[in-house]
Amino acid sequence: MPKSSNRGRGMWHVVSSCGVPAGERFDWYADIISREVMPAALSSERPAEFQGEAAVVDLGPLRASKFSLSPLRSRRTPALIRRGDPEQYQLALLRTGVTSMSQHRNECTVGAGDLMLWDTSLPSDNAMLADGGRVRATILMLPRDVLPLRPERLERLLARRIPGDRGIAAILASFMTALEDHAAECEPQEPARLGAVAVDLATACLAQHLDAADRIPSEARTEVLLRRIHAFIEHNLGDPEPAPPAIAARHTISVRGLHQLFQGQGESVRARIRRRRLERCRADLGRPELATHRVQSIAARWGFSGPVVFSRSFREAYGLTPTEYRALCATGTHRESA
């Protein structure tokens, strides 16, 4: 049996210790991390019982990764940094478990739902607590030049607990959770858009915790707000009526201000909602595992109020009825345009 399991799950590229003999799993995992992520000194109190899985996805300007593993300790020393450094800020959302981090004279302990930032170019010590159980985390791997915040200011946030249950941090945590859970459902052109959303939300979250929101250029603040609204729309497509007044109220702006934001987007708020609903429905209609689901059920899942409205809107957008499109997909005669 091969020592690695590199299984493509949608966009995610996964490696797992499942196919490795138990006595070799920890050493195999440590080697994978040092070669594919960055050089690190890993240690475990129970290496014979170790299990680990890691995955990565490309999102345009950055990459995201997710980990699920038995508790271990990971250290980055100056010598290891000289051996290899991706020159990134890594922003993690802990899904389960407990971990402590020390870097740049800062220390913190974080639990499920918390966020934590570190710099791959500085020495660090990350210990996952054994009594916290298996650790799961989603990580944004941000190249240093994509964040419009000065490094000397970001140093204040390294190895600091960022609660993920309120404010912009909660929006970012929700986005990262959805990214891990649903990235495999995305269409090929969407990863770069998700990467742009990730950068904007991370910037807004870190700036807020630096009390530096006013230091972001006005154009960037507008873009961050738009990305937050786009993310909100994506997460609420199943709501039959995520109307502009509700969207505006959720983001503390006027309805007029919301429409002004979208003037340069090439489509109105309602047009974007309609387009994204149709794209989600089209994707589901082409999925073999959903072949037994009624067309009306798929339409309702993505917020369409009735079959007549959905069928008319789908035909206007794609030149086929939903039933005709599904039949073409089933026979393999339909091909998406490049």
Side-chain angles (χ1 to χ4, degrees), residues 42-56:
L42 304 187
S43 59
S44 170
E45 295 179 1
R46 302 171 181 173
E49 302 173 14
F50 181 83
Q51 294 183 344
E53 182 173 286
V56 66

Side-chain angles (χ1 to χ4, degrees), residues 20-39:
V20 181
E24 301 176 17
R25 287 176 183 170
F26 180 76
D27 289 340
W28 171 85
Y29 190 84
D31 180 64
I32 285 285
I33 295 300
S34 287
R35 285 190 294 107
E36 303 296 335
V37 181
M38 58 184 173

Side-chain angles (χ1 to χ4, degrees), residues 74 89-95 98-103 106-119 124-128 135 137-142 154 157-164 169 172-173 176 202 205-206 209:
S74 173
Y89 291 107
Q90 298 193 350
L91 181 60
L93 169 67
L94 202 65
R95 302 288 298 273
V98 180
T99 185
S100 63
M101 168 71 80
S102 62
Q103 186 175 64
N106 297 335
E107 293 185 16
C108 70
T109 298
V110 300
D114 291 333
L115 294 148
M116 180 175 64
L117 178 75
W118 63 89
D119 185 340
S124 62
D125 191 342
N126 181 14
M128 303 171 189
V135 173
T138 305
I139 303 173
L140 299 179
M141 306 164 78
L142 301 153
L154 283 171
L157 290 181
L158 300 177
R160 294 291 192 190
R161 175 178 173 265
I162 300 176
L172 175 60
M176 292 172 70
C205 174
L206 297 172
H209 281 269

